[in-house]
Amino acid sequence: MMTAHNEARVRRTTVVARAQGVYYFVTGVWPFLNRTTFEWITGPKIDYWVVGSFGVVLAVIGGVLLLAARAERITREIAVLGAGSALAVASCDLLAGVQPRNTGAYFADAVVEVGLVGWWLWAWRGRK
């Protein structure tokens, strides 16, 4: 039997998983759908295969988060996937943001990613 605390956590984590899933899926497929706008926002790319590889990984993570949210089955592993991938992407954003050819979009995304980590922590722990 699920307690009220667990039911509330399921609701909170489902919302986070759905939001991050949409964000990751959309940003993951964006470079494939419109390279021009992607480079306009993020800066010109030399090795576009890196962009594609990173995009595919983000889209897969986003898809997994969306599937888990749809089933309302946000396990500890799904929460770690969400928070851990956000932390990893924030790290990559900070490294990419200092490259002269890239724009401040990477720093802006790093802020979003850190926010996702905080949102996961809040959603998982919540109030007892």
Side-chain angles (χ1 to χ4, degrees):
M1 186 167 163
M2 191 177 290
T3 66
H5 173 69
N6 286 341
E7 287 179 19
R9 178 169 55 198
V10 168
R11 284 192 305 273
R12 291 189 309 266
T13 56
T14 297
V15 170
V16 182
R18 187 172 291 121
Q20 185 177 2
V22 168
Y23 184 63
Y24 273 28
F25 189 82
V26 168
T27 57
V29 299
W30 178 23
F32 298 104
L33 298 178
N34 195 318
R35 181 177 177 165
T36 302
T37 60
F38 181 80
E39 288 189 344
W40 182 69
I41 297 293
T42 64
K45 304 296 177 252
I46 295 169
D47 293 326
Y48 211 73
W49 70 269
V50 175
V51 172
S53 299
F54 203 81
V56 167
V57 170
L58 283 182
V60 168
I61 293 169
V64 169
L65 292 171
L66 287 169
L67 287 172
R70 183 174 184 203
E72 293 185 346
R73 289 185 41 209
I74 311 301
T75 62
R76 183 183 317 258
E77 294 82 5
I78 293 294
V80 170
L81 175 68
S85 60
L87 192 58
V89 172
S91 300
C92 294
D93 282 338
L94 294 175
L95 292 172
V98 298
Q99 301 299 317
R101 67 185 175 277
N102 291 333
T103 68
Y106 288 95
F107 293 122
D109 187 62
V111 171
V112 171
E113 301 297 338
V114 170
L116 284 168
V117 172
W119 198 7
W120 273 111
L121 292 171
W122 170 83
W124 188 263
R125 303 216 15 114
R127 293 182 185 223
K128 291 187 178 183

